[in-house]
């Protein structure tokens, strides 16, 4: 993730993106029963020792869900933590399955889009 000043986050831009997707996010966050049935569809969850931080619902709730609850008012550190979830714990393979119809990949992609607008990207090794 980028390492720049925490004051350079455009919260109004984040809020505008969130507002455009508000109906879906609100419904999907409300519908999520934390049942963990989505976990079995995630190969990262199954290959990383079934660590809950790799569960699709955990990734969704702790990234875009957090942004939604805070109405986009986050600092750089928080956004970089979300970016870590969105890029390092998800490959966006689109295999997530939610029995309640939550489109987790769409929400992960939305979180990545928001991060990119604030210059928070996946950090690749430079060596």
């Amino acid at each position: 993730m980028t390492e720049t000043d925490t004051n350079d986050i455009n919260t109004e831009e984040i809020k505008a993106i969130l507002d455009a997707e508000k109906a879906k996010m609100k419904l999907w966050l409300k519908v999520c029963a934390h049942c963990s049935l989505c976990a079995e569809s995630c190969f990262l969850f199954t290959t990383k020792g079934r660590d809950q931080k790799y569960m699709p619902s955990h990734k969704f709730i702790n990234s875009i869900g957090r942004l939604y609850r805070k109405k986009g008012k986050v600092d750089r550190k928080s956004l970089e933590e979300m970016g870590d979830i969105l890029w390092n714990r998800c490959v966006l393979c689109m295999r997530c399955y939610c029995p309640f119809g939550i489109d987790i990949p769409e929400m992960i992609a939305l979180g990545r889009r928001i991060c990119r607008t604030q210059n928070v990207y996946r950090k690749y090794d430079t060596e």
Side-chain angles (χ1 to χ4, degrees):
M1 304 303 127
T2 60
E3 297 175 11
T4 57
D5 186 16
T6 58
N7 297 325
D8 65 347
I9 297 296
N10 185 341
T11 57
E12 291 303 315
E13 183 177 18
I14 294 172
K15 188 171 181 340
I17 295 169
L18 292 172
D19 286 347
E21 304 291 335
K22 185 177 183 176
K24 278 192 278 191
M25 282 188 305
K26 185 176 181 179
L27 175 65
W28 288 341
L29 286 166
K30 192 174 192 175
V31 166
C32 183
H34 307 275
C35 66
S36 73
L37 290 174
C38 59
E40 294 304 317
S41 66
C42 180
F43 78 89
L44 286 174
F45 173 75
T46 58
T47 60
K48 298 281 188 179
R50 306 178 82 70
D51 186 337
Q52 77 170 9
K53 71 181 180 183
Y54 290 97
M55 288 174 41
S57 59
H58 183 271
K59 293 180 262 192
F60 160 59
I61 290 165
N62 288 289
S63 59
I64 202 69
R66 189 182 318 162
L67 275 172
Y68 176 78
R69 284 188 305 276
K70 293 184 175 216
K71 297 178 173 70
K73 295 179 181 170
V74 293
D75 59 14
R76 169 117 351 238
K77 183 178 182 219
S78 295
L79 204 57
E80 288 180 353
E81 288 169 1
M82 289 176 222
D84 179 58
I85 293 169
L86 297 165
W87 274 294
N88 296 330
R89 298 184 201 164
C90 179
V91 297
L92 210 56
C93 67
M94 311 296 276
R95 290 181 50 196
C96 302
Y97 169 74
C98 172
F100 298 105
I102 298 170
D103 191 343
I104 296 170
E106 182 179 341
M107 291 293 101
I108 297 290
L110 176 64
R112 287 181 177 188
R113 184 173 130 216
I114 289 170
C115 285
R116 283 191 301 270
T117 67
Q118 305 305 310
N119 294 316
V120 174
Y121 298 92
R122 180 167 186 181
K123 189 174 187 178
Y124 293 95
D125 292 336
T126 55
E127 296 175 24

